[in-house]
Amino acid sequence: MSIESILPKPNIFEAKRVLCIQPHYDDNDIGAGGTLALLQQNGAELFYLTATDDLMGIVDHALSDEEAAQALRHDQFAAGEIVGVKEQFWLGYPDAGEYNYFALRRDFLKHIRMLRPDFILTVDPWLTYEAHHDHIQTGLAAAEAVMFAGLTKIPSSDPTVDTAYTPHDIKGIIFYHTREPNQILDISETWEAKLAAVRCYEAQFTSQEMNQLVMALDAKSQQVAAGESFPRGEALKVLHTSALHCGL
Ligand SMILES: [Zn+2]
């Protein structure tokens, strides 16, 4: 009997509620905007949870932190309208700063128990040469929170959420920016929506940086689809939640 028959790769098109946990405001859309728009069109509700305040990448240094936060959220809501995001949540940990891993994990546990998603999408913390600590921490804490959601002796950051929570079925976890994809998703139909969403993030990219990003995404989407029957794809690692431990 094969491992795949015991822990089959979840079918992401069965997703009804997807909690998309990202380090910064734009990561979900840059890494998986085509996939998310497609899942939303397929009937899934999308919830975004952003770990950090994202204030370090702001282009206009004349803005106060409050003004910068407002600009970031403005961009994120505009992008969310295009992708079809139902609700946004923010944790406000300091971008590229010092914060506690276990506090982050407790906050992720809270949102998983509160929102009861059947899929979680996040950055792959094991991406080769990923140097950004926010990405490594966020991906790892999200994966651990998925694994521990049903273990109610492990507290979240909100005791009232924990008290009300009864364990639910999480079908799978989807990683983007991944080293070892096991699914190349055809995003040809949602490519334009993804681009339009990414272009909303004006507070974080100069026009020159944005053009470079768009060119890179353009090339990447075609590169990952090489050998497939469609022109553009996003590379994903889709795992059964029991595959998050001991190499199963
Ligand atoms: Zn990021």
Side-chain angles (χ1 to χ4, degrees):
M1 189 175 274
S2 69
I3 286 285
E4 289 72 23
S5 67
I6 302 166
L7 302 177
K9 187 175 81 175
N11 177 3
I12 66 173
F13 287 104
E14 288 178 2
K16 298 273 186 288
R17 288 168 79 79
V18 188
L19 176 58
C20 311
I21 302 178
Q22 60 183 352
H24 308 107
Y25 282 62
D26 54 359
D27 291 310
N28 288 335
D29 295 331
I30 289 173
T35 298
L36 289 168
L38 207 58
L39 294 182
Q40 196 276 340
Q41 287 170 17
N42 194 49
E45 292 177 326
L46 306 179
F47 300 86
Y48 277 21
L49 174 59
T50 304
T52 75
D53 58 24
D54 214 354
L55 291 174
M56 295 302 121
I58 207 85
V59 170
D60 184 355
H61 289 198
L63 296 180
S64 68
D65 282 355
E66 262 178 32
E67 290 167 335
Q70 240 175 19
L72 287 166
R73 289 198 185 191
H74 170 270
D75 293 352
Q76 194 182 35
F77 276 120
E81 283 287 308
I82 295 167
V83 174
V85 179
K86 185 181 171 73
E87 202 171 350
Q88 307 257 8
F89 302 88
W90 303 269
L91 298 176
Y93 286 93
D95 186 9
E98 291 183 32
Y99 52 91
N100 184 274
Y101 171 80
F102 293 98
L104 184 70
R105 196 184 75 183
R106 281 194 291 275
D107 279 332
F108 291 169
L109 269 174
K110 171 190 168 180
H111 286 81
I112 291 172
R113 289 176 180 164
M114 188 173 73
L115 296 167
R116 304 176 70 83
D118 53 3
F119 277 86
I120 281 85
L121 174 137
T122 191
V123 289
D124 189 333
W126 301 285
L127 174 67
T128 311
Y129 307 120
E130 176 57 72
H132 204 312
H133 202 234
D134 291 339
H135 279 236
I136 298 165
Q137 294 248 74
T138 297
L140 189 56
E144 273 209 310
V146 165
M147 197 165 57
F148 295 152
L151 301 181
T152 50
K153 285 185 81 170
I154 299 177
S156 83
S157 55
D158 189 337
T160 59
V161 168
D162 292 351
T163 304
Y165 179 69
T166 50
H168 77 290
D169 186 31
I170 303 176
K171 291 195 172 71
I173 184 163
I174 307 163
F175 294 108
Y176 58 91
H177 296 327
T178 187
R179 178 178 62 193
E180 296 180 1
N182 61 357
Q183 186 158 356
I184 306 297
L185 205 80
D186 178 2
I187 60 156
S188 310
E189 280 180 28
T190 51
W191 166 248
E192 290 299 332
K194 170 176 177 159
L195 266 197
V198 168
R199 284 193 181 280
C200 290
Y201 291 99
E202 294 176 344
Q204 301 179 73
F205 296 99
T206 63
S207 57
Q208 192 185 355
E209 287 168 343
M210 181 59 80
N211 287 336
Q212 196 176 43
L213 173 63
V214 166
M215 282 200 304
L217 290 174
D218 185 14
K220 181 87 178 177
S221 72
Q222 296 183 61
Q223 188 185 318
V224 300
E228 304 285 347
S229 59
F230 44 84
R232 292 184 188 279
E234 278 172 351
L236 308 170
K237 183 75 167 186
V238 183
L239 291 177
H240 191 286
T241 57
S242 297
L244 287 168
H245 187 42
C246 294
L248 289 174

